Amino acid sequence: MERTWRWFGKHDKITLAMLKQIGVEGVVTALHDVPLGQVWSREKIHDLKSYIESYGMRWSVVESLPVTETIKYGGPDRDKQIEVYKESMRNLAAEGIHTICYNFMPVLDWARTDLMHENPNGAYNLYFSIPEFAYFDIHILKREGAREDWSNFKVLGPDGEPNGRDILKEVDELKKKMTPEKDHALVENIVIKTQGFVSGNFKEGDEHPVELFRELLALYQGIDRDQLRENMKYFLEAIMPTCNECDIYMCVHPDDPPFQVLGLPRIVTCDEDIEWFLNAVPDKHNGLTFCAGSLSAGAHNNLTDLARKYANRTSFVHLRSCHIFPNGDFTEASHLGGRADIIELVRIFEKENPNLPMRVDHGMTMLGDESRGYNAGYSFLGRMLAMGQVQGILATIDRELGIEYKQPGFFD
């Protein structure tokens, strides 16, 4: 596997010089300064690519070239936005960049309720509390039908079986303890700090982020699971000729968490979903980002089975792992623990589809990371620890398989 790192551009507090020292070979990034729905020019792509290469690394994967909401819900300017997307794809290919990670999650990308959940070891991880998220939906967002949806929500324990948890009862108890300050913190965690740098829909300083959130949700009225699937198929069929022309590999990121939230359909959550979109557009350029973290947050998913089944349709791998508590809440786990058996996943991908770009994804916030202004989940020291763990796994598996493992930066 190629060791890559998600980097947020020249203004990232984590520099490319730092990444070079810890054995990063490839960079995963995007043109974060280009507004949503505008063409990525070849000049801007070339500038960033050259900057990365000046540090001895390459721009391995685009994460992400955003799919605008109008493409997802099938708005009147969908075809225009798809043409914009295709032009950006051609410009990326002209600069030698051929892998694009994207998602088809409506409105909300990945979601967590606590960005600084303390671990027993004193470090911090991202955490998803089901009742806190339900409280946000019912009492802050005030979404119509939210209470009924949560009354019907079946919480799964780590064994994949419903645990009988009464979410509405917990929400009602939680409401007695919440304050305006706690409400504000929940909005920040769900709407701003995990979305702004990913989707561009929200940003620090928005005066009415909840109102904007409601407006975006309203765009999906009448869009059910089947319709969202058709919209994804429409998008993929429209861009596949460009993918074939330019040899661009599109790899969709699984939904995070991998279950329906906020009344929105989620369509990349499990084996059935993955099989559907791969078969709906049966082209080698239509593939998967195998995010072990997102998939392991769903107790219904068997990660090693999925890896074996879809290794040859995977173009990019995110190695992280989640732990599901008996009550159904989940947190990011150690890269050597949790539900995703990363050792076995590495073994599968190294056997079946070697040389895939891989990044360690989210890491613990630790040893002062919290004071350095990093994006939520994207610490330096926590991810560096994870990278060290995964490098050890890779070296061991490669020796087992008779593959030469080369540590970059040493005696080159």
Side-chain angles (χ1 to χ4, degrees):
M1 286 182 167
E2 179 191 23
R3 295 174 290 275
T4 71
W5 186 280
R6 191 170 192 187
W7 177 70
F8 295 99
K10 296 178 182 179
H11 299 294
D12 195 327
K13 297 177 188 298
I14 299 170
T15 67
L16 294 181
M18 294 162 69
L19 300 187
K20 187 174 182 179
Q21 290 187 43
I22 64 172
V24 172
E25 301 168 294
V27 171
V28 175
T29 192
L31 295 184
H32 294 284
D33 60 329
V34 177
L36 280 175
Q38 292 190 15
V39 172
W40 287 15
S41 71
R42 185 170 178 181
E43 291 74 19
K44 277 186 170 288
I45 295 166
H46 179 80
D47 176 72
L48 189 58
K49 177 174 178 278
S50 298
Y51 183 76
I52 292 167
E53 290 174 347
S54 73
Y55 284 87
M57 291 172 277
R58 77 182 191 103
W59 187 348
S60 302
V61 179
V62 173
E63 186 175 355
S64 57
L65 180 57
V67 179
T68 56
E69 299 295 336
T70 190
I71 293 175
K72 293 176 185 177
Y73 68 80
D77 58 340
R78 169 170 63 174
D79 291 336
K80 177 184 176 183
Q81 280 299 307
I82 288 175
E83 290 305 312
V84 168
Y85 203 95
K86 288 158 67 174
E87 187 172 348
S88 296
M89 291 170 66
R90 292 188 186 98
N91 290 336
L92 285 163
E95 290 298 321
I97 302 164
H98 294 277
T99 304
I100 297 173
C101 171
Y102 71 103
N103 77 70
F104 219 80
M105 291 180 259
V107 182
L108 192 71
D109 284 348
W110 59 283
R112 300 292 186 273
T113 56
D114 187 351
L115 309 182
M116 291 288 288
H117 186 80
E118 188 168 4
N119 296 328
N121 67 357
Y124 301 89
N125 267 351
L126 304 171
Y127 188 95
F128 187 91
S129 162
I130 296 173
E132 286 186 4
F133 195 88
Y135 170 86
F136 165 80
D137 193 10
I138 296 168
H139 294 294
I140 297 177
L141 193 58
K142 296 180 170 59
R143 181 177 63 86
E144 184 178 352
R147 192 170 183 90
E148 181 182 358
D149 284 351
W150 286 105
S151 72
N152 295 321
F153 186 82
K154 288 184 173 58
V155 181
L156 303 184
D159 60 358
E161 295 297 323
N163 62 11
R165 191 177 187 186
D166 189 338
I167 294 299
L168 289 185
K169 181 179 178 181
E170 292 187 51
V171 168
D172 291 342
E173 288 299 314
L174 184 61
K175 189 174 188 302
K176 299 173 185 177
K177 304 173 186 176
M178 294 299 283
T179 64
E181 292 75 21
K182 290 179 179 179
D183 282 3
H184 177 75
L186 204 53
V187 171
E188 287 278 301
N189 290 346
I190 294 173
V191 178
I192 301 294
K193 292 181 179 178
T194 56
Q195 303 303 311
F197 69 95
V198 176
S199 69
N201 287 327
F202 309 97
K203 61 182 183 296
E204 295 280 359
D206 280 341
E207 290 188 19
H208 304 289
V210 174
E211 287 300 323
L212 175 56
F213 202 86
R214 290 191 188 109
E215 290 172 10
L216 288 170
L217 283 178
L219 297 172
Y220 288 86
Q221 285 186 353
I223 304 294
D224 61 10
R225 176 185 177 83
D226 290 340
Q227 186 59 60
L228 190 62
R229 276 185 165 185
E230 286 305 308
N231 292 351
M232 182 180 183
K233 182 181 179 183
Y234 185 95
F235 167 68
L236 287 171
E237 288 179 336
I239 66 170
M240 277 302 119
T242 305
C243 289
N244 283 284
E245 167 198 334
C246 300
D247 197 29
I248 290 274
Y249 286 82
M250 298 293 296
C251 43
V252 70
H253 189 288
D255 299 336
D256 187 2
F259 46 78
Q260 181 170 301
V261 294
L262 305 173
L264 296 167
R266 309 281 261 187
I267 58 171
V268 190
T269 67
C270 61
D271 183 16
E272 179 195 348
D273 289 345
I274 297 169
E275 187 170 314
W276 179 85
F277 84 80
L278 291 176
N279 290 337
V281 183
D283 188 295
K284 69 176 184 178
H285 293 99
N286 173 31
L288 175 68
T289 293
F290 193 97
C291 180
S294 299
L295 292 168
S296 65
H300 53 282
N301 287 323
N302 182 306
L303 276 290
T304 52
D305 285 353
L306 292 175
R308 290 189 187 100
K309 184 173 181 178
Y310 297 113
N312 290 324
R313 295 298 297 275
T314 295
S315 299
F316 183 31
V317 177
H318 289 182
L319 290 182
R320 65 177 172 89
S321 182
C322 283
H323 171 78
I324 299 177
F325 293 95
N327 67 2
D329 291 352
F330 69 86
T331 188
E332 311 277 350
S334 161
H335 283 66
L336 298 177
R339 296 190 68 250
D341 184 346
I342 288 180
I343 295 173
E344 186 60 24
L345 294 181
V346 169
R347 183 177 285 115
I348 291 167
F349 285 115
E350 288 290 79
K351 281 182 178 179
E352 302 297 330
N353 196 355
N355 303 315
L356 287 174
M358 170 281 302
R359 70 176 180 88
V360 294
D361 210 355
H362 304 158
M364 290 186 290
T365 298
M366 59 192 300
L367 302 173
D369 275 336
E370 65 276 8
S371 64
R372 294 184 172 92
Y374 300 138
N375 289 324
Y378 291 94
S379 61
F380 178 64
L381 295 176
R383 280 193 290 165
M384 184 172 72
L385 170 62
M387 177 67 85
Q389 292 171 325
V390 171
Q391 283 184 352
I393 293 170
L394 277 167
T396 303
I397 298 298
D398 285 353
R399 177 175 291 185
E400 173 188 302
L401 298 176
I403 300 171
E404 182 183 359
Y405 177 87
K406 181 172 179 288
Q407 170 63 49
F410 288 86
F411 314 115
D412 288 343

